[in-house]
Amino acid sequence: MDTYAVGFARPDRWSNGEPAEQAHPWHAVEAHRPPAELDGEIELAVCGAIVQIWGSQKWSRVGAGRTACPECARVTAKTLTSAR
């Protein structure tokens, strides 16, 4: 099972009909069950954004792209430390 599902921010849902630009619409969402089961649900991303889950997407792929939320990428990054 993946640790993170992929969520897509939908600014059109709250922009009162005005065009809304968002450079980083893809977000990470903690998945406590398989992301495919979350498909279509509205959830809170790790950065605090409200997003809709896209169960067919993988955060490991989307999170590395230019349209991924930088804060979600930072929070989900695995930091390796050496044992001394």
Side-chain angles (χ1 to χ4, degrees):
M1 177 167 88
D2 294 340
T3 304
Y4 297 99
V6 175
F8 186 76
R10 295 286 309 266
D12 60 310
R13 300 278 182 174
W14 46 264
S15 65
N16 294 327
E18 297 293 320
E21 289 288 325
Q22 187 167 16
H24 306 288
W26 297 103
H27 296 267
V29 177
E30 289 185 7
H32 300 290
R33 60 184 202 240
E37 289 182 17
L38 299 170
D39 195 28
E41 291 188 18
I42 305 300
E43 296 285 339
L44 190 63
V46 297
C47 70
I50 297 172
V51 298
Q52 184 173 15
I53 301 295
W54 283 44
S56 62
Q57 299 291 334
K58 301 226 177 283
W59 180 248
S60 58
R61 184 180 66 76
V62 173
R66 287 183 283 164
T67 58
C69 168
E71 181 62 11
C72 286
R74 185 188 69 74
V75 170
T76 61
K78 294 186 172 117
T79 307
L80 300 176
T81 58
S82 61
R84 294 183 192 228

